[in-house]
Amino acid sequence: MIDERLLKNEEKAVFGLRSLYGKYGYFPFKMSKFEEYELYVKNKEFLVSDRAITFNDTNGQLLALKPDVTLSIIKSAQDIPGEKQKVYYNENVYRVSESTHRYKEIMQAGLECIGDIDLYDIYEVVSLAAQSLAAIGDEFVLEISNLGLLSGILEKACSSCAFCEKAIDFIKEKNSHDFLRLCDEYGIEKEKAKALTVFVSAYGERKKVISELEKVCSKEELSPLSELSKLLDSSPFSERIVFDFSVVNNMNYYNGFVFRGFLNGVSERLLAGGQYDKMMKKMGKRSGAIGFAIYLDILEQLQSENEKTGVDVLLIYDNDTQTREVSKKVSELISCGFTVSAQKTDSGKIKAKKIIDLRKEKNNA
């Protein structure tokens, strides 16, 4: 049996997530460490980083250490009417770190649901995103937006693609001042523009946000948002799942619901996902798709209990201490459920809850 205290945060998360996803009928997806580089070149806008580590295969074909998993899953997916392919993964990806700006091997976990997607699938994936965050830490928030609703309302206000793109950028930044200035530039009436700022400020409890959006949206337009919210009411984490229209992923690939998750104690978003039907279409697929990724390398920011305490017992001995005595004491402590580090000195580098000095015991005897 594995002692969880000896596992890193990301390793603990992987074990828990595998069990969670399996319960909902998701099967493990395994892939090679590398893919044809052309796959990433064609879809670089979809990637977190458009830089990849490349090399030539023995046949001269250019390959890349995979910087992403979702593209490989889409590539292998089949368009089968009425069917859904549900997979989860735990893979290392290789890309430039946002913090160090150097190439890094990153542990990533996630799941994808591809096929005849409906409201239940959206609810299930969002619910699993919340459960995934809960499995990693008690204090989290999952923020949800709907790009279809947002882009539809903006297009009704102004048909200009340039307006929609700029407006979405200001909403993403929660910048109401420049949003209003933009509306004025494109000749949108002040009252209407002021009403549209609801997308900039609307954040928080789901029913409250829906109530605020009723100022600019019809019931029919809000229906997907309302239906999902009602389903999420039954979640034990309902209060931690909020609406926030500043959550905006790449509009060229994503559509419908998008979301991101944050964990207390971690400065960056830990989870990101959404519907990516546009990406599927770009890669020649007719199916719909929704999924999310968890960036487990970010968990390094969390200090685990093991890192705080090191071991339960630091056992100190010297050359005059009999090996049998050291072995007996270590076995005795481990059998009692303690973690032990046997050392010849207390250098201060190993943190322990308790120190047992066999040298003193021997001298006292």
Side-chain angles (χ1 to χ4, degrees):
M1 185 175 180
I2 297 175
D3 187 341
E4 288 193 3
R5 293 173 297 178
L6 304 180
L7 297 175
K8 295 180 180 179
N9 282 309
E10 55 267 37
E11 292 170 334
K12 291 179 184 177
V14 167
F15 282 109
L17 296 176
R18 283 177 185 169
S19 174
L20 172 63
Y21 303 154
K23 291 176 182 177
Y24 285 80
Y26 287 77
F27 296 97
F29 179 87
K30 293 297 294 182
M31 60 177 287
S32 170
K33 289 185 180 296
F34 39 84
E35 274 274 12
E36 295 178 14
Y37 180 57
E38 186 180 7
L39 174 67
Y40 304 122
V41 172
K42 289 181 177 178
N43 304 288
K44 61 182 181 180
E45 292 181 23
F46 182 77
L47 303 174
V48 175
S49 170
D50 62 358
R51 296 168 65 185
I53 302 171
T54 60
F55 62 96
N56 287 312
D57 199 354
T58 54
N59 62 0
Q61 186 178 39
L62 189 61
L63 301 177
L65 285 174
K66 63 178 185 292
D68 178 83
V69 179
T70 302
L71 290 175
S72 295
I73 294 176
I74 295 174
K75 179 183 174 183
S76 66
Q78 297 179 335
D79 283 316
I80 305 175
E83 286 194 13
K84 303 168 190 175
Q85 300 163 65
K86 297 184 176 184
V87 299
Y88 72 86
Y89 60 87
N90 165 220
E91 296 281 345
N92 288 337
V93 294
Y94 306 85
R95 58 172 173 250
V96 176
S97 168
E98 294 180 3
S99 57
T100 65
H101 304 293
R102 300 178 65 182
Y103 282 110
K104 184 178 181 181
E105 182 178 30
I106 297 170
M107 186 184 293
Q108 184 174 307
L111 59 79
E112 311 292 344
C113 182
I114 295 174
D116 187 9
I117 304 301
D118 56 24
L119 178 61
Y120 172 75
D121 299 301
I122 295 170
Y123 160 71
E124 181 178 84
V125 170
V126 171
S127 177
L128 282 170
Q131 291 182 65
S132 298
L133 291 169
I136 297 171
D138 294 330
E139 297 182 36
F140 70 89
V141 62
L142 182 65
E143 300 172 341
I144 304 174
S145 176
N146 189 300
L147 295 181
L149 172 63
L150 178 60
S151 59
I153 297 299
L154 291 176
E155 286 170 9
K156 280 174 62 178
C158 180
S159 59
S160 169
C161 292
F163 166 78
C164 290
E165 289 177 5
K166 293 175 183 177
I168 286 171
D169 282 340
F170 292 137
I171 291 171
K172 183 178 180 180
E173 297 168 2
K174 293 186 181 291
N175 185 343
S176 58
H177 175 76
D178 285 330
F179 179 83
L180 288 171
R181 176 184 55 76
L182 181 70
C183 289
D184 185 54
E185 285 179 12
Y186 281 84
I188 297 174
E189 296 177 4
K190 287 187 177 181
E191 286 301 315
K192 191 172 186 179
K194 188 176 181 181
L196 287 173
T197 59
V198 67
F199 285 107
V200 180
S201 59
Y203 171 85
E205 196 273 324
R206 298 190 304 277
K207 289 180 182 177
K208 177 177 74 71
V209 172
I210 290 173
S211 177
E212 292 175 2
L213 292 179
E214 287 175 348
K215 300 173 185 175
V216 292
C217 304
S218 67
K219 286 188 176 181
E220 184 179 353
E221 290 168 328
L222 287 173
S223 179
L225 212 63
S226 300
E227 290 302 312
L228 178 62
S229 182
K230 289 175 184 176
L231 289 169
L232 291 171
D233 284 342
S234 62
S235 168
F237 312 110
S238 179
E239 293 182 0
R240 299 185 182 276
I241 306 173
V242 301
F243 285 150
D244 180 1
F245 279 82
S246 71
V247 181
V248 178
N249 290 345
N250 192 320
M251 298 286 286
N252 293 321
Y253 299 104
Y254 287 95
N255 65 290
F257 287 100
V258 290
F259 45 90
R260 65 188 178 191
F262 295 88
L263 193 66
N264 186 34
V266 180
S267 59
E268 305 171 64
R269 57 101 179 86
L270 180 64
L271 180 150
Q275 293 176 258
Y276 50 93
D277 296 357
K278 289 183 178 180
M279 183 70 227
M280 294 288 290
K281 186 176 180 180
K282 185 176 184 295
M283 292 184 66
K285 307 290 184 179
R286 297 187 302 274
S287 301
I290 183 170
F292 61 81
I294 302 172
Y295 306 105
L296 295 173
D297 62 303
I298 295 175
L299 293 181
E300 292 175 0
Q301 294 183 27
L302 288 177
Q303 189 177 24
S304 70
E305 289 300 313
N306 188 49
E307 291 170 329
K308 290 179 182 177
T309 59
V311 292
D312 295 320
V313 179
L314 176 61
L315 185 69
I316 301 175
Y317 67 99
D318 58 21
N319 291 332
D320 294 328
T321 311
Q322 291 186 4
T323 302
R324 183 179 297 178
E325 183 182 354
V326 178
S327 176
K328 181 181 178 182
K329 193 66 176 178
V330 169
S331 297
E332 177 186 314
L333 290 166
I334 289 176
S335 67
C336 292
F338 298 114
T339 56
V340 188
S341 179
Q343 301 283 342
K344 289 189 175 181
T345 182
D346 180 6
S347 64
K349 295 180 180 179
I350 298 176
K351 297 179 181 179
K353 295 178 181 178
K354 183 179 181 180
I355 297 176
I356 295 178
D357 194 335
L358 293 181
R359 300 170 303 178
K360 289 181 180 179
E361 292 183 3
K362 179 181 63 179
N363 292 334
N364 290 336

